[in-house]
Amino acid sequence: MWIAGAPTDSFYEVRAECTDVPKTRFKIKAGRTLSARRWQAAFTPEGYLDIAKTLSRIQRGGIHPSIRGEVWEFLLGCYDPKSTFDERDQIRQRRRYLTGSEDSLFDGTVCTAKYHAIWCDTYIFNHDPTISVNMDHSALTFDDTPWVQYAMWKEECRQMDSIVGSGRIITAPLITEDGEPIEDPSVILEANPDKGMTAPQENGDAENLKLFTGNMLHINALDGESLNSSSGSETVRESMSHVLLDKKVIQWKLTLHQIGLDVVRTDRTLVFYEKQEHLSKLWDILAVYAWIDKDVGYCQGMSDLCSPMIILLEDEADAFWCFERLMRRLRGNFRCTESSVGVEAQLSNLASITQLLDPKLHQHLETLGGGDYLFAFRMLMVLFRREFSFGDSLFLWEMMWALEYDPDLFYMYEEPDSANGKSEGSKGKAKSIRQCGKFERENMKNGAKNAEAPLPISLFLVASVLKTKSSKLLQEARGLDDVVKILNDITGNIDAKKACSGAMKLHKKYLKKAKKM
């Protein structure tokens, strides 16, 4: 039972041996924190959400841990607040229906291996959205909606590498940069622990070979083809050759062990991640995302952004789509070229903000060689996950999203033409300023939406931190090492709500000054 004024550390239990973890400052406050009762009361009998009241409550006192996951789905744009319970249930069922193991997908008296074969061949490889499968007397249509798409993507990844969805993760590379399999016994054992340390032989165990190289093979169970037959082995080897010639598949498979290395280090102080099933779920989601977002793939830091979704949302598809929505906001930071890193644009914006609001500090940082603001790299990449305790970072995130909230989010992601044009017959209506977060309101008032994309609140949060440390930086920093040390001292010592209030004040001041220029 959660009571007013209670800290939330016990909700995100820390391992007993981890004694140096910052304590969570966020506390549940009656009348301020969005409670389960207030959340339920915010819906009409049909299911329409009063988003304005919800945002106001979140901005005052955050979200009760017991409902945090479902509220985040709205804040991140997974659902439209103007949708009904039935409409959201339909979306939820469609996106969950196919999530799970291959066996659970194609189990039952009607949906036999024949339908499995049709689906693998027709949808995964030909991307034909017209195939329907009759399961338990109900029509299951593989349409091209994003909600069903996660299961399709996951199965596609599983076909390329059978470790996806197996409940395991890998932390050692399976192939070389040329696409050749690595025959190190320890690598083989990690990829296929049930088979021992036997390397796949040219004329030997085809099942082991399939697990080792990734399964791009379609198995036609109706024809009774055995993987242990010579024809089966040849098909597997041909499939392996095909995979190794595909540069996109090679690139994806090369990231899998890096994802694994990061997953086992992510939030390792939490009891939650002592369970292998939670680690593997995090690994699966990141592996699938790395495959579908080929421009970005996987980068270090994404596991820190995805981890809270795994903890807050039990269903894997729900967690994936919350992470995907978050990445819509942040993927530009992770996009890299041979000459630049995406986050450099945000660091440049941060420099401009500081130069305008605190020119003396900006000049001092430039003198020290920190004019590129790389010392703020981590804060922007993982949204202050290192500067706050786990619980406080969640509190900070939801306050940021509530302040930035745009009621058109769902339509911007699902129906971009509708969001931009508000065509006749579209469910989207002209948004009310009351339905927007305070940060978004300021942008609308100042016409920021009509020009370039508005600067995110995260930049003003960093600027707020710099402002609080401005005097110390000016007096004590004699080099970049001093700057980093002073900023590292803020870990566990920042109040999330005060930081957001400071960011809002700086944002308002910045807009006024920028308007005069």
Side-chain angles (χ1 to χ4, degrees):
M1 178 69 181
W2 294 92
I3 57 175
T8 57
D9 278 332
S10 56
F11 193 83
Y12 313 111
E13 190 179 355
V14 175
R15 291 160 54 187
E17 65 271 23
C18 300
T19 57
D20 59 344
V21 177
K23 295 294 182 182
T24 297
R25 291 167 171 253
F26 170 62
K27 294 182 179 180
I28 299 166
K29 296 181 179 179
R32 302 182 74 84
T33 302
L34 178 64
S35 64
R37 183 179 63 82
R38 289 276 187 178
W39 172 242
Q40 292 163 6
F43 292 93
T44 67
E46 297 79 18
Y48 301 114
L49 173 64
D50 187 338
I51 192 66
K53 285 185 179 179
T54 302
L55 295 176
S56 177
R57 179 71 62 168
I58 296 171
Q59 291 162 13
R60 286 204 303 270
I63 303 170
H64 194 286
S66 64
I67 57 170
R68 186 165 259 154
E70 56 188 287
V71 180
W72 278 24
E73 290 181 296
F74 284 89
L75 292 179
L76 289 169
C78 293
Y79 296 121
D80 177 19
K82 297 184 290 294
S83 61
T84 65
F85 287 128
D86 288 342
E87 288 168 336
R88 291 194 294 276
D89 283 342
Q90 186 178 18
I91 290 174
R92 191 175 291 110
Q93 289 305 314
R94 282 158 60 190
R95 71 179 173 182
R96 288 179 177 178
Y97 206 103
L98 294 177
T99 303
S101 67
E102 177 191 16
D103 292 337
S104 65
L105 294 182
F106 300 99
D107 190 17
T109 57
V110 180
C111 189
T112 63
K114 176 180 179 180
Y115 291 107
H116 180 186
I118 291 174
W119 181 65
C120 287
D121 272 347
T122 307
Y123 190 89
I124 292 298
F125 297 111
N126 297 331
H127 296 282
D128 183 349
T130 63
I131 298 299
S132 296
V133 176
N134 189 17
M135 182 183 293
D136 295 333
H137 310 291
S138 63
L140 174 60
T141 302
F142 294 147
D143 58 15
D144 204 21
T145 65
W147 306 114
V148 172
Q149 194 68 54
Y150 175 66
M152 304 296 185
W153 284 327
K154 185 175 180 181
E155 176 63 13
E156 188 174 3
C157 291
R158 195 193 67 79
Q159 292 288 325
M160 292 185 291
D161 198 299
S162 58
I163 295 177
V164 175
S166 69
R168 305 196 304 272
I169 64 175
I170 57 171
T171 57
L174 296 179
I175 60 173
T176 67
E177 292 186 359
D178 296 326
E180 296 294 333
I182 296 175
E183 298 189 10
D184 186 312
S186 62
V187 174
I188 297 171
L189 178 61
E190 181 176 9
N192 191 18
D194 297 334
K195 297 291 182 180
M197 296 182 68
T198 304
Q201 302 298 317
E202 183 175 349
N203 296 313
D205 184 3
E207 177 68 13
N208 204 20
L209 182 62
K210 179 186 73 173
L211 287 170
F212 182 71
T213 61
N215 179 15
M216 283 294 287
L217 174 66
H218 161 54
I219 307 166
N220 191 337
L222 292 179
D223 292 340
E225 292 178 4
S226 170
L227 281 174
N228 290 319
S229 67
S230 59
S231 61
S233 298
E234 290 171 4
T235 307
V236 172
R237 283 195 293 275
E238 289 174 6
S239 175
M240 180 182 72
S241 299
H242 172 71
V243 171
L244 297 180
L245 290 175
D246 190 326
K247 291 183 179 180
K248 291 180 180 178
V249 175
I250 292 174
Q251 189 60 42
W252 176 73
K253 290 172 79 72
L254 286 171
T255 68
L256 296 182
H257 77 283
Q258 184 59 56
I259 294 173
L261 289 171
D262 289 345
V263 162
V264 297
R265 292 192 293 250
T266 301
D267 292 323
R268 61 186 180 275
T269 61
L270 299 180
V271 171
F272 180 86
Y273 280 115
E274 289 182 343
K275 292 186 177 181
Q276 175 67 23
E277 63 186 280
H278 297 150
L279 291 171
S280 63
K281 186 185 291 187
L282 178 57
W283 187 85
D284 281 347
I285 288 177
L286 292 169
V288 172
Y289 184 84
W291 173 246
I292 65 167
D293 190 348
K294 294 179 176 62
D295 287 342
V296 173
Y298 174 79
C299 298
Q300 197 167 27
M302 288 184 183
S303 60
D304 293 287
L305 299 173
C306 187
S307 172
M309 313 305 176
I310 304 293
I311 295 173
L312 298 180
L313 294 157
E314 183 177 355
D315 187 85
E316 185 175 324
D318 293 348
F320 172 84
W321 286 109
C322 270
F323 172 65
E324 192 271 347
R325 292 306 194 237
L326 177 56
M327 284 302 298
R328 296 260 188 148
R329 301 168 181 240
L330 301 175
R331 69 189 297 271
N333 289 349
F334 292 93
R335 184 179 287 157
C336 301
T337 66
E338 293 182 359
S339 58
S340 66
V341 180
V343 76
E344 288 179 357
Q346 297 289 29
L347 294 173
S348 177
N349 288 330
L350 176 61
S352 299
I353 292 171
T354 308
Q355 185 175 21
L356 187 63
L357 300 180
D358 194 343
K360 191 174 181 180
L361 175 61
H362 176 75
Q363 181 60 48
H364 182 59
L365 292 172
E366 278 202 325
T367 302
L368 298 178
D372 53 13
Y373 283 68
L374 282 174
F375 52 81
F377 178 91
R378 187 180 70 184
M379 297 183 198
L380 294 174
M381 289 295 282
V382 295
L383 293 182
F384 293 87
R385 280 296 315 274
R386 301 290 189 276
E387 285 69 35
F388 290 86
S389 68
F390 183 81
D392 282 339
S393 64
L394 304 193
F395 178 39
L396 177 72
W397 285 9
E398 62 204 19
M399 288 191 66
M400 289 169 58
W401 300 336
L403 289 167
E404 285 185 310
Y405 186 77
D406 183 336
D408 285 342
L409 265 182
F410 178 80
Y411 289 100
M412 284 191 285
Y413 297 149
E414 299 298 316
E415 303 174 24
D417 293 338
S418 171
N420 294 331
K422 297 295 183 194
S423 57
E424 187 177 352
S426 167
K427 188 172 180 178
K429 299 178 181 179
K431 63 186 175 187
S432 164
I433 195 169
R434 181 174 169 271
Q435 296 175 324
C436 299
K438 290 182 179 179
F439 186 85
E440 175 68 7
R441 291 182 203 174
E442 290 296 327
N443 285 329
M444 291 175 67
K445 289 177 183 177
N446 285 271
K449 283 288 186 182
N450 298 326
E452 298 178 357
L455 300 176
I457 194 172
S458 55
L459 290 177
F460 294 94
L461 278 165
V462 179
S464 176
V465 169
L466 292 177
K467 185 177 185 299
T468 60
K469 295 294 180 181
S470 181
S471 297
K472 192 167 187 177
L473 287 167
L474 288 169
Q475 294 172 13
E476 300 180 17
R478 295 294 177 265
L480 283 180
D481 288 344
D482 294 332
V483 173
V484 173
K485 183 178 183 301
I486 291 170
L487 293 179
N488 280 344
D489 288 341
I490 68 175
T491 300
N493 296 315
I494 315 176
D495 184 283
K497 188 172 182 180
K498 288 181 179 178
C500 284
S501 297
M504 286 295 296
K505 290 176 182 177
L506 290 180
H507 177 240
K508 198 169 185 177
K509 187 177 179 181
Y510 173 80
L511 290 176
K512 286 182 179 179
K513 287 197 171 188
K515 207 169 186 178
K516 294 177 181 178
M517 293 177 64

